[in-house]
Amino acid sequence: MVVVVDTISATPLRPRHPEKVNRPDALSPPKPGWIRVRAPNTRGYADTRNIVKENGLVTVCEEAGCPNIGECWDKKHATFMIMGDTCTRACAFCNVKTGMPGALDVSEPEHVAEATFKLGLAHVVITSVDRDDLGDGGAEHFARTIRAIRARCPSTTIEILTPDFLRKEGALEVVAKAKPDVFNHNLETVPSRYLTVRPGARYFHSIRLLQRVKEIDPTIFTKSGIMVGLGEERHEVLQVMDDLRSADVDFLTIGQYLQPTRKHHAVMRYVTPDEFQGYEKVAYTKGFLMVSASPLTRSSHHAGDDFAKLQAARAALAR
């Protein structure tokens, strides 16, 4: 891979990941046969893309290079990424642009609500970049977006995928009190890999954040996910499951890490479909209401269908 930096024109192009430009290439093994997706070229995909662009919105589907974008957008399912396209963190796995973000767009919550209405979404997923530059980490912007969707689409259920709000006292409470139906915050990897994979975060802070959501409102479903193939050991994945259950997390997702560029963390191993099935079975025995574990599992993949299953699983326990 070659990173091109324009040093001649009046407005030089800034590399997407300036902190990674001088890193040596990290080589991953060839993708196995079970990692295959179709190129997005359907009418539904085009319609979704047009609605996203017409409303000036950013999606994590595009920014993070999600392998499921063709399938999801064909069904008019999109995960909106609020607060801009530039993240203040530089995680080793993530393809979202890094740097100093611009000011918040005060009209963005209404634009997200309008796109939700136009797409006819029964269940919408809202995520964001990390905004360590903001006093509340963007918590009030999340809350405003939730309220705007409720006003425009009162029957739509809302799932949020938030940053960790590290050192942002009171931020989590602002978001939780806006009452999303699902509160998702991903651990991303096992504790031993944090300094390499997610250096700006703190594992036990993230566990506590998920636990705190349940303390504020036990009716909110909580959700978290990790990637595998980053050098973790099986026993570490099982320990993450136990830590999440200690925080009363309802839903666990496990997917294969895929390297965005050679400047990102290498894939250390491709986990087989059988191993994913094994993780899923173990997770259910530990008490999760829902588990999704497969090579192409991502946080918001099939989120609407999974929300219905979550509701059914909770109702079955209450009988």
Side-chain angles (χ1 to χ4, degrees), residues 83-192:
M83 296 192 279
D85 65 354
T86 304
C87 187
T88 54
R89 305 233 182 135
C91 297
F93 65 89
C94 185
N95 199 38
V96 174
K97 186 165 57 177
T98 56
M100 181 55 67
L104 293 179
D105 178 359
V106 296
S107 64
E108 184 175 50
E110 285 69 34
H111 289 316
V112 171
E114 186 61 24
T116 300
F117 177 79
K118 288 180 178 178
L119 288 167
L121 298 179
H123 185 83
V124 63
V125 184
I126 310 296
T127 188
S128 79
V129 291
D130 273 285
R131 291 297 303 255
D132 295 313
D133 59 309
L134 300 176
D136 69 349
E140 181 57 33
H141 200 76
F142 257 108
R144 286 188 58 226
T145 303
I146 292 169
R147 292 193 291 266
I149 295 169
R150 293 263 188 250
R152 186 71 173 95
C153 310
S155 64
T156 298
T157 51
I158 301 171
E159 179 172 331
I160 59 171
L161 171 55
T162 76
D164 59 12
F165 300 119
L166 187 63
R167 304 184 187 90
K168 307 294 182 182
E169 186 174 353
L172 169 65
E173 287 74 10
V174 169
V175 180
K177 287 176 182 177
K179 292 186 71 68
D181 296 282
V182 181
F183 192 110
N184 185 5
H185 171 65
N186 285 334
L187 296 180
E188 307 294 4
T189 188
V190 301
S192 69

Side-chain angles (χ1 to χ4, degrees), residues 20 23 90-94 196-199 257 260 263-266:
K20 295 179 175 69
R23 291 182 183 176
C91 297
F93 65 89
C94 185
T196 302
V197 175
R198 199 184 178 212
Y257 167 64
K263 298 299 180 183
H264 286 77
H265 196 294

Side-chain angles (χ1 to χ4, degrees), residues 34 228 254-256 270-281 293-296:
W34 60 80
V228 290
I254 307 176
Q256 172 70 53
Y270 288 104
V271 177
T272 68
D274 285 346
E275 290 176 272
F276 278 105
Q277 288 181 8
Y279 280 139
E280 181 174 309
K281 289 177 182 177
S294 74
L296 292 177

Side-chain angles (χ1 to χ4, degrees), residues 245 250 287-289 310-319:
R245 286 303 300 138
D250 301 300
F288 290 98
L289 292 180
L310 267 177
Q311 289 178 305
R314 176 180 283 177
L317 283 179
R319 288 175 192 156

